[in-house]
Amino acid sequence: MTGILVFKLVLVLLLLFIVFNLGRALFILVKGESSVPMSQYLGRRMLFSVLVIVLLLLALGLGIISPNPRPY
């Protein structure tokens, strides 16, 4: 596999994990009682969101990915 494909796969997996944690927090919010606090899942979601942003900025800085050209 090429480096770009692995990078994109990692990003997609991180985004799916973010959505999963958000869904778990929603389930705990609706259900009402749980042994695990909802803030644990929301905090984990925030951590992985920051990780995705840092990885994207790092990849942009290193030239692994390139932004779209301006539309005009």
Side-chain angles (χ1 to χ4, degrees), residues 14-28:
L14 282 172
L15 291 173
L16 287 175
F17 193 66
I18 289 169
V19 171
F20 173 75
N21 280 315
L22 191 60
R24 292 285 300 178
L26 177 67
F27 182 71
I28 290 174

Side-chain angles (χ1 to χ4, degrees), residues 8 11 61:
K8 288 180 182 180
L11 280 180

Side-chain angles (χ1 to χ4, degrees), residues 47-63:
L47 175 72
F48 284 108
S49 297
V50 168
L51 182 64
V52 165
I53 291 170
V54 167
L55 282 176
L56 283 173
L57 289 175
L58 187 66
L60 267 170
L62 293 174

Side-chain angles (χ1 to χ4, degrees), residues 18-48:
I18 289 169
V19 171
F20 173 75
N21 280 315
L22 191 60
R24 292 285 300 178
L26 177 67
F27 182 71
I28 290 174
L29 177 70
V30 171
K31 189 175 178 183
E33 48 186 77
S34 176
S35 61
V36 180
M38 179 178 60
S39 61
Q40 177 182 351
Y41 293 109
L42 292 176
R44 198 178 294 165
R45 180 189 67 94
M46 287 299 297
L47 175 72
F48 284 108

